[in-house]
Amino acid sequence: MTAITIATWNINSVRLRIDLVVEFLREHRPDVLCLQEIKTREETFPFAPIAEAGWPHIAVAGFKGYNGVATVSRRAFRDSGVISWCGRDDGRHVRVTFGDGLELHNVYVPSGGKEPDPDINDKFRHKLDFLRDMTAWWRTLRTADARRVLAGDFNVAPLENDVWSHEKLINVVSHTPVEVEHLARLRESHDWTDTARHFVPASEKLYSWWPYRGARDWATGDYGRRLDHIWITPALKASLAGCETLRFMRGRAKPSDHVPVIVTLEGP
């Protein structure tokens, strides 16, 4: 496998923030960027400025108004496809395979709404069903030699130090025990490695999202959560060379509420 850098970023409207996307690509030059919450259909996706910047290979699972994911790359895809979950074609999963056989899955897990009770909140039920169905699917595909990457906005902060306050957020959607349990099962389904926590110990705080409320002092308040993840299969673990969470991007003009996470995989 040739060396590759893969970034994931919930951009919160790719058309609104296309200049920020192009700036990021040119400054950090990842081989591949997985975008979530692009908030547009494929026919209105801004292909031209991304291709002109040097990332001409683009796979989109679009959706009008919200959701939607896109994977943009400097490397050609051998093939690509959209995967749907829970009987909904709502633009949450796009898969690409590169010429060397590396598989990259770009996923946007449902946020789950505000009430963490599936009996009264259909959005939360959808989130749990999505994680459950995807877990079962990965179990059927698991092989020791599979070289796969799962990246995106998982909308779950699994560890105590993935949120600004475990005590205050334990009953808040994204950090509840049932969501953490579902994400743990997903991780076990393919023996995934959480690349960020491979380098940053669980004893340290690490966030990738900060709310827009109080945005002027987001860094001072630091009310963050780690919702954005890049996981790799065991066959890629020996190639794992680095993982960065670009916290400073939250301070850019008209930012997304999420920041990019970048993983570097070295060749053999």
Side-chain angles (χ1 to χ4, degrees):
M1 184 188 80
T2 54
I4 189 169
T5 55
I6 299 170
T8 185
W9 192 7
N10 178 320
I11 194 59
N12 194 9
S13 178
V14 67
R15 289 190 294 171
L16 179 64
R17 296 186 171 83
I18 185 57
D19 291 344
L20 194 59
V21 170
V22 170
E23 178 184 293
F24 167 77
L25 290 170
R26 287 175 169 163
E27 285 185 1
H28 297 277
R29 303 198 64 78
D31 293 299
V32 191
L33 172 59
C34 300
L35 295 168
Q36 302 87 41
E37 208 172 350
I38 60 173
K39 295 184 175 180
T40 185
R41 292 174 175 168
E42 183 174 357
E43 55 265 33
T44 51
F45 185 86
F47 288 94
I50 293 174
E52 289 166 4
W55 284 258
H57 309 288
I58 303 173
V60 179
F63 199 77
K64 182 180 179 180
Y66 59 100
N67 299 350
V69 296
T71 299
V72 308
S73 175
R74 294 195 288 179
R75 301 185 183 186
F77 306 140
R78 187 172 75 190
D79 58 60
S80 64
V82 174
I83 299 171
S84 299
W85 296 104
C86 306
R88 308 187 191 194
D89 296 324
D90 53 356
R92 293 188 178 274
H93 187 167
V94 65
R95 172 198 58 80
V96 302
T97 306
F98 297 96
D100 63 0
L102 180 70
E103 261 184 54
L104 173 58
H105 294 257
N106 176 6
V107 174
Y108 178 40
V109 175
S111 62
K114 294 184 178 181
E115 182 60 48
D117 184 344
D119 293 330
I120 63 174
N121 179 5
D122 288 340
K123 292 182 178 179
F124 195 70
R125 178 182 296 277
H126 180 209
K127 182 176 191 175
L128 299 184
D129 288 346
F130 187 102
L131 291 169
R132 186 183 300 112
D133 289 356
M134 192 162 55
T135 296
W137 183 70
W138 280 119
R139 285 177 178 154
T140 68
L141 299 180
R142 179 173 175 170
T143 60
D145 60 348
R147 293 182 299 117
R148 295 182 174 123
V149 179
L150 180 62
D153 177 2
F154 297 177
N155 265 312
V156 182
L159 304 181
E160 291 191 14
N161 282 320
D162 288 340
V163 294
W164 66 271
S165 172
H166 171 65
E167 292 76 15
K168 293 184 178 180
L169 295 180
I170 194 169
N171 293 316
V172 174
V173 172
S174 79
H175 191 59
T176 64
V178 66
E179 292 168 274
V180 170
E181 180 180 346
H182 275 64
L183 195 68
R185 290 175 181 168
L186 176 60
R187 184 175 173 186
E188 292 166 2
S189 69
H190 210 323
D191 195 17
W192 300 101
T193 290
D194 179 346
T195 59
R197 284 302 184 185
H198 180 80
F199 294 101
V200 179
S203 59
E204 295 183 19
K205 293 286 190 182
L206 183 62
Y207 313 139
S208 64
W209 173 91
W210 292 260
Y212 281 129
R213 179 176 293 181
R216 290 183 179 178
D217 62 350
W218 69 271
T220 302
D222 208 19
Y223 298 123
R225 307 178 200 178
R226 187 171 73 100
L227 305 178
D228 305 272
H229 305 264
I230 301 179
W231 292 356
I232 59 173
T233 51
L236 292 172
K237 193 169 182 179
S239 301
L240 183 56
C243 182
E244 297 180 272
T245 301
L246 303 189
R247 176 187 172 97
F248 68 90
M249 292 290 292
R250 186 61 178 80
R252 291 289 175 91
K254 297 181 180 178
S256 170
D257 43 357
H258 297 251
V259 299
V261 179
I262 307 177
V263 158
T264 301
L265 299 175
E266 295 180 338

